[in-house]
Amino acid sequence: MSNGLDAMVRLEAVSRFYGDVLGVNRISLEIGPGITSLIGPNGSGKSTLMNLIAGLIQPTSGSIRVLGVAPRDSETLFPQLGFCTQYEAFPAGANGYGWVRQNLLLHGYSRADSEAMTEAALARVGMTALARRKLDGYSKGMRQRIRLAQILAYHPRLLILDEPLNGLDPLARAEMAALFRSLAGEGKTLIISSHILHEVEAMTDRIILLRHGYMAGEGGMATVRDSIAEQAPQWLIRCSRPARLAAMGLEGLSPEGRPLLQQAQIFARPEPALLLRTQAPAAFFQALNQWIAQGEIEVETITPADDDLNAVYRYLIGSEEAI
Amino acid sequence: MSASPAAGPSPAERSVTRGRRAWYVYQLRRGLRPWQAAPLLLLALLPALVILVLAWAGRIHGRGAAAFVSSPGFYARLFDGLLLHTAVFFGCAWLFLQMIRGELTGRILHFAWLTPIRRSWLGWGKYFAGATLALAIFNCGTLLSRLLLLRARHAGLDGHALASYLGITSLACLGYGAAFFYMGARFRQPLFPALAFLGWEQINFLLPPWLQRVSIIYYLHALHPGGIPAHAWGFVPPPMRAVTAVFWLFGISGGLAWLGVRRFARLEVNYGNED
């Protein structure tokens, strides 16, 4: 984000190494209210970045400020920060209700307040009926919910959620995504990591792409895509003669002398279509208008084929990780 | 003249205090879980069980066993060998090593780190909760064994000796607790340092007097009301005033606990599979 005044999280040249192994390297970023998604394959540094922000680990170099204080300033920071980590474990023998309530007691709430806030948080994540069961017997999805209830209970301004949709069924994912959007609507800052790209896409205001510990891109989806100058945008054109269109596009040149198309892929089914990449979209579409006017081809629809997060992700991270 | 604001802690300060108290109580409750507390109780009851068995044997088999229980150095040896060297030592190892290392291996330390309680307070809360449990359990063991002994001897209560033994037990809990608390915070595999420490404390009487001082048992021995019967071999240390021994025990305990808390506060959550 450009406006540093309302940055909830600020990292400056933060690096973290585990011995010789790189966790994250020279990450500088600011995160403000709304939902920011950390995207990257396993080992890209998402959890390391989250752990650094929450002070669970220390940076090897660089500085971190969260809500204006250092992450180690527990008494100031943690009434306002909630972190759902990726770690599955809970203390043996605890039940969901007791665990949420215990955390509120540790936050300094009275017993009566803790009980009321626990009930409210459990209701918000749909765990009221199951809360008295032992945590050991919970499914992965239930554990996710109870962890979420634990932090929602004390109304933090900043929520860090490491793979919060993991283990949830589709309906529960949709419910959680709606909950996250509602929290963002309340002015809270959410940092979410996920591999579930289309669901992140539906709720995120900003993405940060990580790869091998480096930031591969950041911003809104369009900003990230545009920032990769060498990556030509992709379009899907359903038309009468895709092979002819491909030939004309690959042979044609823009006024600057660049090829109109960098890549073209022809589809015969289910309907004739051409998937193309162009770094000169203005020149290409001007030429396309001429070809349509000359009756060379008939175009039914033109759709940007990469204007979703999955495509951006493939550009930057690698197609094998995309879902 | 306007009224001055009421003295006393602000709501935020009260909240911090409540949180710290809740942490201490939570640690106590964790220490009292059956699988955690049962070994401590068994260890604490060992001296009483030995006295009961000997008293029963004396009743069945005649004067030999009964005379053994009545011998002057019996309780001092029992207390030293079974309560200090065994029950308190291993009990504190069980309790305090798990306080930190158990949370790391159980992957739950991050829950503590994410509470609005200063890390040093988290550390001190753990140590004091462990010390409270150890003091309560092992002092009960000392009290029970002493009362059983007096009953077996048909003797009256010796308040001074009882208070001394309870005091020694308490100082042993603080000292060994601090040592194991530090090891739990310092070492990824604290078993080996703990075994080395066990050996050092066990062979203390074999060491030259200046080396004997680098231990906890040396100062505890100096507080025994009747003195510890000397070993046939080994060095006999020069006598030490009780107040000096207590001073050293508090100093060693406080120093080790402080080092443990400092180390604990710097621990990172690195369970090994961050991505």
Side-chain angles (χ1 to χ4, degrees):
Chain A
M1 64 180 292
S2 56
N3 182 3
L5 289 176
D6 53 359
M8 299 288 160
V9 178
R10 182 173 294 146
L11 282 78
E12 288 176 18
V14 170
S15 299
R16 167 69 199 207
F17 290 83
Y18 299 99
D20 293 333
V21 179
L22 171 68
V24 292
N25 196 22
R26 298 195 64 76
I27 303 278
S28 294
L29 59 87
E30 292 181 355
I31 296 173
I35 301 179
T36 299
S37 296
L38 296 181
I39 307 292
N42 287 334
S44 60
K46 303 186 299 293
S47 295
T48 297
L49 197 58
M50 290 180 150
N51 286 349
L52 282 164
I53 292 170
L56 294 185
I57 56 175
Q58 293 298 301
T60 310
S61 63
S63 73
I64 303 172
R65 304 290 285 179
V66 183
L67 301 170
V69 299
R72 277 288 181 101
D73 188 352
S74 314
E75 287 180 0
T76 309
L77 184 59
F78 288 115
Q80 307 178 75
L81 187 156
F83 182 16
C84 278
T85 68
Q86 61 172 333
Y87 305 118
E88 286 284 318
F90 288 96
N95 68 36
Y97 179 90
W99 181 236
V100 175
R101 196 193 62 156
Q102 178 61 48
N103 195 52
L104 289 167
L105 292 172
L106 296 177
H107 273 73
Y109 292 98
S110 69
R111 192 167 290 270
D113 286 346
S114 297
E115 285 167 3
M117 292 162 82
T118 298
E119 298 285 0
L122 290 169
R124 194 158 194 193
V125 300
M127 283 293 289
T128 304
L130 301 164
R132 306 284 175 169
R133 276 207 222 160
K134 297 267 188 203
L135 288 163
D136 303 338
Y138 277 13
S139 68
K140 188 164 185 171
M142 289 157 72
R143 285 169 177 241
Q144 293 279 32
R145 285 167 181 261
I146 213 76
R147 275 201 294 259
L148 196 58
Q150 193 196 14
I151 64 167
L152 289 179
Y154 56 91
H155 308 295
R157 289 166 63 200
L158 169 63
L159 294 94
I160 304 175
L161 312 170
D162 200 350
E163 307 270 3
L165 303 174
N166 233 358
L168 300 181
D169 59 50
L171 182 63
R173 283 179 185 172
E175 286 171 7
M176 285 297 125
L179 173 60
F180 299 155
R181 279 193 295 270
S182 128
L183 290 166
E186 294 166 16
K188 295 184 189 301
T189 302
L190 285 86
I191 304 173
I192 296 174
S193 73
S194 180
H195 291 99
I196 315 294
L197 296 181
H198 62 277
E199 280 160 352
V200 172
E201 178 187 8
M203 63 180 152
T204 196
D205 301 315
R206 180 179 178 227
I207 57 174
I208 294 170
L209 291 139
L210 293 168
R211 188 183 189 191
H212 301 319
Y214 290 87
M215 255 173 66
E218 63 143 336
M221 198 163 46
T223 311
V224 170
R225 188 196 62 206
D226 293 345
S227 70
I228 310 302
E230 69 274 17
Q231 184 61 59
Q234 207 172 203
W235 299 84
L236 182 70
I237 299 179
R238 287 165 64 195
C239 58
S240 56
R241 299 167 66 196
R244 174 69 181 146
L245 178 58
M248 290 190 297
L250 290 167
E251 288 167 5
L253 295 174
S254 71
E256 296 82 30
R258 292 198 295 178
L260 288 178
L261 296 184
Q262 275 66 49
Q263 196 179 327
Q265 189 178 354
I266 298 162
F267 296 94
R269 285 180 295 181
E271 292 170 274
L274 179 70
L275 182 67
L276 58 87
R277 286 186 189 280
T278 175
Q279 281 183 324
F284 171 76
F285 285 113
Q286 195 173 5
L288 180 62
N289 285 338
Q290 286 176 7
W291 297 330
I292 294 169
Q294 291 164 6
E296 293 281 351
I297 51 168
E298 291 175 12
V299 171
E300 193 175 331
T301 59
I302 301 173
T303 318
D306 60 353
D307 204 15
D308 66 10
L309 191 53
N310 216 6
V312 176
Y313 186 77
R314 274 199 301 272
Y315 290 166
L316 302 176
I317 303 298
S319 60
E320 74 280 1
E321 293 291 343
I323 290 171
Chain B
M1 183 179 153
S2 63
S4 61
S10 67
E13 287 168 336
R14 276 202 299 275
S15 170
V16 167
T17 306
R18 269 200 305 263
R20 289 172 182 171
R21 196 168 53 227
W23 173 252
Y24 171 75
V25 172
Y26 177 60
Q27 293 301 311
L28 280 181
R29 281 178 36 215
R30 280 177 62 76
L32 284 171
R33 286 169 300 173
W35 66 268
Q36 178 90 18
L40 300 181
L41 289 169
L42 286 175
L43 284 166
L45 290 174
L46 271 180
L49 284 173
V50 168
I51 291 170
L52 274 178
V53 167
L54 287 174
W56 173 78
R59 203 173 294 168
I60 302 290
H61 299 293
R63 298 175 56 85
F68 188 67
V69 172
S70 302
S71 65
F74 168 74
Y75 190 77
R77 281 190 191 282
L78 185 80
F79 180 80
D80 184 56
L82 214 51
L83 207 112
L84 292 186
H85 276 297
T86 306
V88 176
F89 187 91
F90 288 105
C92 285
W94 171 256
L95 181 62
F96 284 90
L97 286 179
Q98 288 196 71
M99 294 200 101
I100 297 171
R101 215 31 69 177
E103 295 207 346
L104 279 170
T105 54
R107 297 181 167 223
I108 54 170
L109 180 65
H110 60 277
F111 289 122
W113 273 188
L114 297 173
T115 59
I117 303 171
R118 208 177 296 159
R119 290 190 180 189
S120 55
W121 278 99
L122 292 172
W124 284 114
K126 272 185 174 293
Y127 173 69
F128 283 124
T132 305
L133 288 171
L135 282 167
I137 291 171
F138 292 115
N139 273 322
C140 283
T142 302
L143 183 65
L144 186 62
S145 63
R146 190 72 191 161
L147 292 176
L148 283 173
L149 178 86
L150 296 175
R151 190 165 186 275
R153 288 178 175 173
H154 305 291
L157 187 67
D158 180 353
H160 174 72
L162 179 63
S164 298
Y165 283 120
L166 291 175
I168 295 168
T169 307
S170 302
L171 289 167
C173 290
L174 293 177
Y176 287 133
F180 289 117
F181 184 74
Y182 171 70
M183 285 181 213
R186 174 67 183 80
F187 299 105
R188 192 175 285 270
Q189 297 286 350
L191 182 64
F192 298 110
L195 286 174
F197 182 50
L198 169 68
W200 184 259
E201 291 288 288
Q202 294 289 350
I203 64 162
N204 183 266
F205 67 97
L206 290 172
L207 300 171
W210 65 272
L211 262 183
Q212 286 186 19
R213 289 170 181 268
V214 190
S215 71
I216 289 170
I217 198 72
Y218 170 81
Y219 301 99
L220 294 174
H221 281 171
L223 294 170
H224 269 265
I228 295 286
H231 287 273
W233 60 93
F235 294 93
V236 179
M240 176 181 280
R241 288 173 58 209
V243 68
T244 310
V246 169
F247 171 81
W248 274 105
L249 281 166
F250 272 120
I252 292 168
S253 305
L256 286 171
W258 178 78
L259 285 173
V261 167
R262 194 161 161 264
R263 186 79 191 179
F264 173 71
R266 291 179 181 181
L267 280 178
E268 291 194 331
V269 168
N270 184 11
Y271 303 135
N273 67 345
E274 284 81 5
D275 67 337

